Amino acid sequence: MRKKKVQHIIENAFVSGFAAEGNAIIKQEEKVIFVPKVAPGDVIDALVYKQKHSFCLAKSLQIKTFSDKRVQVKCPHFENCGGCSWQMLDYEWQKNYKQQQVIDNLERIGGISCENISNIEGSDNIYYYRNKLEFTFSARAWKKDFVKGEKDEPALGFHISGLFDKVLNIEHCVLQADVSNQIRNFLRTYTIENDIPYYNIREHSGLMRNLIIRNTQREDLMVVVVFAYKDMVTIEKVMQALKEKFPQITSLQYCINTKMNDSLSDQEFVVFYGKDHIMEYMPCFEEEKLLQFKIRPKTFYQTNAPQALKLYSFAAKFADIQQEDIVYDLYTGTGTIANFVANKAKKVVGIEYVEDAVEDAKINSKENSIDNTVFYAGDMAKVLNEDFIQANSQPNIIITDPPRSGMAEAVIKQILNTQARRIVYISCNPATQARDLKLLSPKYKVTKIQPVDMFPHTHHIENIAVLDKITED
């Protein structure tokens, strides 16, 4: 019989640093122990609950000595909510560890020298910086002191990590403007007082399913309520209550999602009040002109708008686009980068998998009187082929901003074949970026690295790598 490994406690363990996914590490003999929500420099008692050959997973039971890198947390839900796992860490140290994360991944996975890395660009706002949050209704609230057999209570907030059916009630979130807290708390009170049932993911019952709140720098406000089935009498009551309580809402919409999952990309949204969109504005690169972007429920837009401007400005500056250049913007989304740099290029060609996003990109070009962009929808690995390049001209510059999984090898092969003189690679995952940079290394050399912090209090980091074509002697 296989011997069951017993949980055990490690006392007075020193937390030495951070590793992948924002977990802190304790080094003990030949094993590394991963612990969340503690800071380097802490001395803790840790409960090891899972053991592997070369590492262990643990949770902190008690902090014996607090690190000098710690600060007072602002969020009342920090201990239980899995969102801002680094909020206890001084922001300067957050930036240091994120920069090191980029270096470690590029050097270890990509074999890339980071001697030319620039200092990380921090966020001016580290609280209330998000322009989009999604909340979940659940018939089963998570409670720290929950007793088995106790009656479930409803909750509106964020999912508890590792528990698909439990949601933490959120009273105050420090990530989005306070109107977001007001709307969420009002809707929870109204629905509970009116006995409107919350969604039970185990039984697939209950009406109230999700709440999405989006806002812009000019205080446009979009509220989307997702219902689990069609009950127009109750839906009308809920939406009317929101309209009357928050007349400043620019776009009030709902959708009815009867599926087993929460994906909304294939859903129809109904405008209950106001417009079908909100507007965000961004200065055009090196021009006084303001670009405007329509944001609809399905539209992707960077959730930290001021940092997005910094990110795109770095990318455009590094690209060094000349007036006769053909620019390919891969994974263009709603064409934000394409439209941002269009004034510098002869032509910008955007490719994106999501058809709705491509339609938004076309609309954004039209709204901004930009006539030198073209956009195509489809699987990047299939669209970007020799016929496509011949039809749209050989690119001089490629800007690519793929999803966390990085680029498919077929896409990298086509990029290598284009012979573009420069590639600007934007990534939200330095590990997959490093892998791709290594695959590009036979023809391209990394000449500049610029991390940008889009998400304070989390371990996530955006990184820009500039690659120049290696010239033959």
Side-chain angles (χ1 to χ4, degrees), residues 86-235:
W86 280 12
Q87 197 179 135
M88 78 295 183
L89 195 63
D90 179 82
Y91 187 55
E92 289 303 312
W93 281 104
Q94 290 184 35
K95 292 191 293 182
N96 288 346
Y97 285 120
K98 291 185 183 191
Q99 176 122 349
Q100 192 59 49
Q101 178 182 323
V102 172
I103 293 170
D104 290 346
N105 278 287
L106 295 191
E107 291 184 344
R108 179 173 53 85
I109 300 172
I112 296 159
S113 169
C114 291
E115 292 180 351
N116 58 356
I117 190 169
S118 299
N119 289 334
I120 184 172
E121 183 69 24
S123 179
D124 295 331
N125 299 314
I126 63 172
Y127 297 105
Y128 307 108
Y129 63 84
R130 287 188 65 99
N131 56 36
K132 180 183 179 183
L133 280 180
E134 300 182 27
F135 303 101
T136 300
F137 293 89
S138 175
R140 308 187 73 199
W142 180 89
K143 293 193 297 183
K144 193 172 185 179
D145 55 353
F146 182 78
V147 178
K148 191 173 182 179
E150 184 180 352
K151 184 180 178 182
D152 285 321
E153 296 179 4
L156 173 55
F158 297 129
H159 275 285
I160 290 290
S161 178
L163 299 174
F164 79 100
D165 64 335
K166 294 284 190 178
V167 166
L168 174 68
N169 261 319
I170 299 294
E171 294 296 331
H172 186 89
C173 178
V174 298
L175 289 179
Q176 193 174 24
D178 194 52
V179 67
S180 174
N181 291 312
Q182 297 171 30
I183 291 169
R184 184 194 59 254
N185 292 345
F186 166 78
L187 192 55
R188 179 173 52 230
T189 299
Y190 178 85
T191 49
I192 290 175
E193 286 181 350
N194 286 274
D195 295 320
I196 301 174
Y198 285 20
Y199 192 65
N200 185 320
I201 196 170
R202 288 180 177 272
E203 301 174 0
H204 298 288
S205 61
L207 181 65
M208 306 301 301
R209 190 158 181 173
N210 302 100
L211 170 67
I212 303 166
I213 301 174
R214 306 185 76 157
N215 62 305
T216 69
Q217 296 177 91
R218 295 194 177 187
E219 298 185 351
D220 274 9
L221 184 61
M222 174 182 287
V223 178
V224 180
V225 185
V226 182
F227 299 95
Y229 54 85
K230 191 172 184 178
D231 176 355
M232 290 313 302
V233 173
T234 307
I235 290 173

Side-chain angles (χ1 to χ4, degrees), residues 53-105:
H53 177 67
S54 59
F55 69 92
C56 300
L57 302 180
K59 62 181 179 179
S60 174
L61 296 176
Q62 181 184 2
I63 300 175
K64 296 287 193 65
T65 304
F66 288 91
S67 168
D68 60 4
K69 300 176 179 65
R70 281 182 169 268
V71 293
Q72 184 68 40
V73 298
K74 193 169 183 176
C75 175
H77 307 290
F78 173 75
E79 292 300 326
N80 303 314
C81 177
C84 303
S85 59
W86 280 12
Q87 197 179 135
M88 78 295 183
L89 195 63
D90 179 82
Y91 187 55
E92 289 303 312
W93 281 104
Q94 290 184 35
K95 292 191 293 182
N96 288 346
Y97 285 120
K98 291 185 183 191
Q99 176 122 349
Q100 192 59 49
Q101 178 182 323
V102 172
I103 293 170
D104 290 346
N105 278 287

Side-chain angles (χ1 to χ4, degrees), residues 176-334:
Q176 193 174 24
D178 194 52
V179 67
S180 174
N181 291 312
Q182 297 171 30
I183 291 169
R184 184 194 59 254
N185 292 345
F186 166 78
L187 192 55
R188 179 173 52 230
T189 299
Y190 178 85
T191 49
I192 290 175
E193 286 181 350
N194 286 274
D195 295 320
I196 301 174
Y198 285 20
Y199 192 65
N200 185 320
I201 196 170
R202 288 180 177 272
E203 301 174 0
H204 298 288
S205 61
L207 181 65
M208 306 301 301
R209 190 158 181 173
N210 302 100
L211 170 67
I212 303 166
I213 301 174
R214 306 185 76 157
N215 62 305
T216 69
Q217 296 177 91
R218 295 194 177 187
E219 298 185 351
D220 274 9
L221 184 61
M222 174 182 287
V223 178
V224 180
V225 185
V226 182
F227 299 95
Y229 54 85
K230 191 172 184 178
D231 176 355
M232 290 313 302
V233 173
T234 307
I235 290 173
E236 290 271 351
K237 283 174 59 179
V238 170
M239 302 304 287
Q240 186 64 30
L242 282 169
K243 176 187 173 185
E244 291 176 1
K245 181 66 176 178
F246 300 98
Q248 71 269 42
I249 292 176
T250 311
S251 175
L252 181 58
Q253 303 188 46
Y254 70 89
C255 103
I256 300 170
N257 179 16
T258 61
K259 299 183 305 175
M260 296 296 188
N261 63 67
D262 288 334
S263 170
L264 300 177
S265 60
D266 57 350
Q267 297 298 293
E268 178 184 355
F269 291 83
V270 179
V271 177
F272 183 83
Y273 168 75
K275 302 175 182 178
D276 70 346
H277 66 276
I278 53 178
M279 297 295 298
E280 186 59 276
Y281 296 85
M282 178 182 289
C284 186
F285 181 59
E286 293 186 343
E287 281 191 8
E288 293 183 2
K289 174 185 176 182
L290 270 183
L291 297 173
Q292 56 184 16
F293 296 97
K294 277 188 175 180
I295 297 173
R296 297 185 290 180
K298 299 180 189 179
T299 301
F300 170 78
Y301 196 87
Q302 290 283 1
T303 53
N304 187 338
Q307 284 300 96
L309 175 58
K310 293 182 183 180
L311 183 75
Y312 298 157
S313 296
F314 278 128
K317 179 182 177 182
F318 297 158
D320 191 25
I321 301 166
Q322 305 302 307
Q323 209 61 54
E324 293 303 309
D325 281 341
I326 305 295
V327 179
Y328 279 20
D329 181 22
L330 309 185
Y331 312 92
T332 188
T334 55

Side-chain angles (χ1 to χ4, degrees), residues 405-471:
S405 57
M407 298 190 293
E409 284 196 43
V411 176
I412 292 173
K413 183 178 179 181
Q414 280 299 336
I415 289 175
L416 289 168
N417 289 338
T418 66
Q419 304 290 322
R421 74 169 182 270
R422 178 164 291 180
I423 301 167
V424 179
Y425 189 147
I426 304 170
S427 173
C428 60
N429 186 346
T432 54
Q433 183 186 44
R435 177 202 67 200
D436 293 349
L437 296 179
K438 187 173 184 178
L439 292 173
L440 290 164
S441 64
K443 290 187 178 180
Y444 289 90
K445 180 182 179 181
V446 175
T447 56
K448 195 180 293 289
I449 303 165
Q450 176 65 65
V452 179
D453 185 20
M454 302 286 287
F455 309 106
H457 308 308
T458 76
H459 67 276
H460 297 291
I461 179 69
E462 295 271 342
N463 187 54
I464 304 171
V466 180
L467 300 93
D468 286 329
K469 191 172 182 297
I470 299 171
T471 55

